[in-house]
Amino acid sequence: MQQHRANGNIWGRHRRTADSHTHRDPAEPAARKGHFVMAAALVASVGAAGIAGLYFSASSGPASAKARTPAAAQLKTSEPMTIPLASDADAGLRAAGDGLSLDTGMPAVAQSRKPKPRLWVDPMPEGSVTSCFGARWGRLHAGVDLAAPTGTPIRAAGAGRVVSAGVEDGYGNAVLIDHGNGYLTHYGHMSAITTKTGQAVKAGDQIGNEGSTGHSTGPHLHFEVHKGSYKNPIEPTRWMQDHGVNLGGCAARG
């Protein structure tokens, strides 16, 4: 009797040990539960747009039930699971890779890039050079003259701050801009000034209109470049060329 009970205990222990190491597949409800857990994770990562293309769609019928078995097996073995895409979603991805719109299948339009703003510009590109830097009538002509119809916009050659804006002796209506790099630009004979002292300007901002105020024989812009401080003019054509702007009409003299 004791031997039988002992054998029974041994057999009971053996059954518990064997059961603890069993590798039986989980019951069908557990497999389905694991499938729905995976489906919820896939919905969160793929997004609503890709749900219709997944192979376990509710509309796939019996075929999708067969396809769920490998997914459950992969979940059990903790191996990476690859989810195939339906033909329509796969075609959409191929179309996007081929440069086609995912929604319409039409050629995708490349997003245009905005060109970088220029640091220096022609202060009056409509103007024609009529006089250059150098000696004229027994004195220094300290800039370059650009002629155009009265009222033609005059623009800041570069970014800076307006040092002065108003009537200035023989220059008539004039503007002086400090560019903060050791150089200043000067604009004279304007018919009107459209900026004010202390104003910050960018390259290409309008600062006035072309005219013939002050000591002038006709409508034109008198444009100067000064190094270090005002009243220290340098030849403007060469300086503008060095900064990517060709005023034209004058020989670049240093």
Side-chain angles (χ1 to χ4, degrees):
M1 184 66 178
Q2 290 180 352
Q3 180 65 29
H4 176 71
R5 184 178 296 108
N7 291 339
N9 291 339
I10 292 173
W11 176 247
R13 286 196 301 271
H14 175 71
R15 289 186 62 187
R16 285 195 297 271
T17 301
D19 289 344
S20 64
H21 291 82
T22 183
H23 291 280
R24 290 180 298 174
D25 289 338
E28 179 62 20
R32 291 184 178 179
K33 181 178 180 181
H35 164 68
F36 291 129
V37 170
M38 288 301 298
L42 287 170
V43 169
S45 61
V46 175
I51 295 176
L54 294 177
Y55 79 105
F56 54 80
S57 171
S59 61
S60 59
S64 63
K66 295 180 180 179
R68 283 199 294 267
T69 301
Q74 291 182 21
L75 179 62
K76 177 180 175 181
T77 59
S78 301
E79 295 179 356
M81 181 173 64
T82 302
I83 303 299
L85 298 177
S87 58
D88 55 345
D90 196 22
L93 292 176
R94 288 197 301 271
D98 294 337
L100 301 179
S101 170
L102 190 60
D103 295 328
T104 65
M106 298 298 290
V109 178
Q111 185 177 2
S112 60
R113 295 182 179 180
K114 293 183 179 180
K116 293 182 178 180
R118 296 186 61 183
L119 298 179
W120 300 93
V121 301
D122 189 328
M124 196 172 71
E126 300 87 351
S128 300
V129 173
T130 57
S131 185
C132 298
F133 180 93
R136 188 179 71 175
W137 305 333
R139 58 182 299 180
L140 175 66
H141 182 245
V144 57
D145 291 345
L146 304 170
T150 299
T152 301
I154 296 172
R155 306 184 183 282
R161 189 167 298 276
V162 177
V163 176
S164 64
V167 178
E168 184 186 345
D169 299 330
Y171 291 103
N173 293 324
V175 170
L176 179 66
I177 299 175
D178 185 350
H179 298 285
N181 61 350
Y183 292 89
L184 303 93
T185 53
H186 193 217
Y187 313 76
H189 306 311
M190 296 181 178
S191 61
I193 296 173
T194 59
T195 188
K196 58 184 179 181
T197 301
Q199 181 176 340
V201 295
K202 302 185 297 295
D205 284 353
Q206 184 174 353
I207 58 174
N209 297 326
E210 193 260 15
S212 187
T213 58
H215 298 165
S216 172
T217 59
H220 71 282
L221 165 65
H222 178 81
F223 176 70
E224 299 176 347
V225 176
H226 296 260
K227 182 178 181 180
S229 62
Y230 185 51
K231 300 296 184 179
N232 185 31
I234 61 174
E235 201 283 311
T237 305
R238 174 66 177 273
W239 191 88
M240 291 296 287
Q241 282 183 344
D242 291 343
H243 291 78
V245 179
N246 183 14
L247 296 179
C250 295
R253 290 172 286 187

